[in-house]
């Protein structure tokens, strides 16, 4: 049986037998209608707009097992990406050091005239 949720501010439902003893319960907007409510009552409340079918999200799919080949391929790709990033970082560092060395080299002093 599908679960239902209260859409009205307050909904009174009867839990138990419709011909014998039943217990009244108040369900507030956003609460799930408890089990044990007669199907005829559910249909009536749904028709009147007091409750609606609860849209439950699809459960997450079962996790898949990875083969050793999948793991090896992922490790290889990650290692290659790391090596590529490291090589680029080294190039950037060398370029930055060369630029810094240029800026730190003192300019030659102008020759002074002797009298």
């Amino acid at each position: 049986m599908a679960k239902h949720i209260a859409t009205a501010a307050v909904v009174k439902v009867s839990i138990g037998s419709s011909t014998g003893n039943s217990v009244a319960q108040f369900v507030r907007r956003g609460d799930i209608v408890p089990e044990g409510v007669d199907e005829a009552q559910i249909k009536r409340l749904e028709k009147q707009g007091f409750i609606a079918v609860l849209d439950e999200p699809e459960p997450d799919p079962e996790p898949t097992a990875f083969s050793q080949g999948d793991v090896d391929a992922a490790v290889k790709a990650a290692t290659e990406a790391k090596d590529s990033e490291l090589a680029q970082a080294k190039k950037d560092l060398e370029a930055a050091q060369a630029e810094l060395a240029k800026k730190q080299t003192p300019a030659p002093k102008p020759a002074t005239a002797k009298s």
Side-chain angles (χ1 to χ4, degrees), residues 14-87:
S14 297
I15 301 172
S17 173
S18 59
T19 58
N21 292 337
S22 63
V23 176
Q25 185 171 350
F26 293 97
V27 183
R28 294 178 186 208
R29 180 179 290 132
D31 290 345
I32 296 184
V33 175
E35 292 183 24
V37 178
D38 184 49
E39 190 64 34
Q41 185 178 180
I42 292 282
K43 287 180 182 178
R44 180 181 56 81
L45 292 172
E46 192 172 3
K47 183 178 178 183
Q48 292 173 334
F50 295 147
I51 64 172
V53 175
L54 178 64
D55 294 327
E56 294 186 275
E58 292 292 321
D60 291 337
E62 290 295 319
T64 57
F66 296 106
S67 68
Q68 187 61 42
D70 293 337
V71 173
D72 292 341
V75 169
K76 181 180 177 190
T79 302
E80 288 173 355
K82 174 196 61 105
D83 291 343
S84 174
E85 284 183 39
L86 184 59

